[in-house]
Amino acid sequence: DLLPEAAAYVREPLANGGSVQFVGTKKQVQAAIAEEATRAGMPNVNFRWLGGMLTNFQTIKKRIAYMKELERMDSSGEMEALPKKERLRLRRELVKLQTVLGGVRDMTRTPDAVFIIDVKNEHIAVTEAARLKIPIIAVVDTNCDPDNVNLVIPGNDDAIRAAQLLAGTVSDAAKEGRELYEAARTKKAAAAEAAAQKAASDAPAPKTN
């Protein structure tokens, strides 16, 4: 019953140009989290939550920048010029970074909300979001503490199909919010252009001698 309310809760910040981060790292929900976050164009963490992902985001941004630099070096062929041992080390490091940070590679700031499946398993993410007063929307099973969750969705956090349904609903809401934001931005730009054209047409013609 609370799922539509959660969807509305997600839609609002997206309609104002914000973002929601999807979080779920246990095996049963990993695929749904990555797939539905990607479908909505939102960041996600589905492998391992790094301590400080939110509370020390500046450091995370540096790691993301480093990952992208390694990707550039690899794609440009620059790595091939390095000694074999160094090249293998950097590529192993790149794979690890992509696994952990691939879902947040486009994040430039902390999200406006987080959607979490299994707050017990993701307790570090819950603690960090609560500390920063970032709203938490979460699927809460009977073995979980709902105290830090702003909007609880009571449900099974172990079933693959449940994860797909819940993450899919939140993804739909995020997409709707993004579409509302883009429509409002387009309308605002059109209004500004019309106002500029009107001002130009109303301007007095220059005097001639």
Side-chain angles (χ1 to χ4, degrees):
D1 291 341
L2 286 173
L3 193 53
E5 188 176 338
Y9 200 84
V10 167
R11 197 178 297 115
E12 183 177 350
L14 271 293
N16 292 313
S19 64
V20 57
Q21 185 175 27
F22 287 57
V23 183
T25 62
K26 66 183 182 182
K27 188 175 181 180
Q28 301 95 309
V29 306
Q30 284 178 330
I33 287 291
E35 180 182 337
E36 296 301 338
T38 301
R39 185 168 69 86
M42 294 293 118
N44 76 87
V45 176
N46 79 327
F47 181 74
R48 179 167 65 89
W49 182 271
L50 292 180
M53 182 78 76
L54 297 178
T55 53
N56 194 16
F57 186 63
Q58 291 307 310
T59 298
I60 297 298
K61 280 179 69 175
K62 291 176 183 177
R63 298 302 291 167
I64 293 171
Y66 178 56
M67 176 184 72
K68 291 181 177 180
E69 174 61 13
L70 290 180
E71 289 174 337
R72 184 199 65 76
M73 290 174 63
D74 194 24
S75 62
S76 68
E78 190 174 328
M79 274 193 191
E80 292 299 325
L82 297 173
K84 182 178 179 181
K85 189 174 181 180
E86 177 71 2
R87 185 168 69 246
L88 291 174
R89 183 186 69 80
L90 289 178
R91 282 185 173 147
R92 280 196 299 268
E93 191 170 0
L94 175 57
V95 169
K96 288 179 182 178
L97 287 170
Q98 288 173 328
T99 301
V100 177
L101 297 175
V104 296
R105 60 180 300 121
D106 297 321
M107 276 181 67
T108 57
R109 60 182 180 85
T110 53
D112 297 275
V114 292
F115 166 67
I116 298 174
I117 296 183
D118 193 345
V119 293
K120 185 176 181 181
N121 193 61
E122 313 301 340
H123 61 95
I124 300 175
V126 172
T127 300
E128 291 192 24
R131 186 178 301 168
L132 296 178
K133 300 189 186 308
I134 296 173
I136 301 169
I137 305 105
V139 179
V140 180
D141 211 332
T142 52
N143 64 337
C144 298
D145 181 0
D147 283 355
N148 284 323
V149 180
N150 298 86
L151 203 152
V152 171
I153 307 170
N156 184 350
D157 59 23
D158 289 314
I160 294 174
R161 290 182 66 184
Q164 291 171 335
L165 170 65
L166 298 166
T169 301
V170 173
S171 179
D172 288 341
K175 285 185 66 179
E176 289 169 13
R178 175 66 67 85
E179 288 166 2
L180 288 171
Y181 172 71
E182 294 297 339
R185 191 167 68 165
T186 301
K187 185 177 179 180
K188 187 177 180 180
E193 184 178 351
Q197 290 176 347
K198 185 176 187 304
S201 64
D202 291 345
K207 293 181 180 180
T208 57
N209 293 329

